Amino acid sequence: MSDITITVDGKELTVPRDELLIKILNKNNFAIPQFCYHDALGMDGNCRMCMVEIEGQKRPQIACNTFPKEGMEVRTRG
Ligand code: FES
């Protein structure tokens, strides 16, 4: 699958579109709290600790159940 471009805290990243946002953030050293997600276990989505802001979304979203989209702007800090 082709890569796409997103922005995290103002930094442009080229990422695979089929990779969860939480993995992208972890790989690129954006520290976000996370408790229930583990690579080996996959999505859970219960702890709600991995919230990030995404431009155009009314409410924060959990990074462990969000896939990137072309041009997505993510903020990990308030
Ligand atoms: S790490 Fe628990 S909801 Fe995302």
Side-chain angles (χ1 to χ4, degrees), residues 22 32-38 44-51 62-65:
I22 198 165
I32 58 166
Q34 51 200 274
F35 182 72
C36 68
Y37 176 80
H38 188 281
D44 184 334
N46 281 320
C47 79
R48 317 305 279 183
M49 289 177 67
C50 64
M51 295 277 197
I62 53 173
C64 68
N65 195 14

Side-chain angles (χ1 to χ4, degrees), residues 7-75:
T7 305
V8 181
D9 294 342
K11 183 179 177 187
E12 202 170 277
L13 302 174
T14 300
V15 302
R17 68 177 67 234
D18 61 346
E19 187 159 66
L20 282 169
L21 191 53
I22 198 165
K23 291 183 79 170
I24 293 167
L25 295 174
N26 288 340
K27 273 190 197 170
N28 288 280
N29 301 316
F30 290 96
I32 58 166
Q34 51 200 274
F35 182 72
C36 68
Y37 176 80
H38 188 281
D39 275 351
L41 302 174
M43 294 179 205
D44 184 334
N46 281 320
C47 79
R48 317 305 279 183
M49 289 177 67
C50 64
M51 295 277 197
V52 295
E53 291 182 349
I54 297 174
E55 189 66 34
Q57 301 277 328
K58 280 187 188 168
R59 292 181 226 133
Q61 305 293 313
I62 53 173
C64 68
N65 195 14
T66 300
F67 287 96
K69 293 188 177 134
E70 179 64 46
M72 182 183 263
E73 291 180 36
V74 180
R75 285 183 299 278

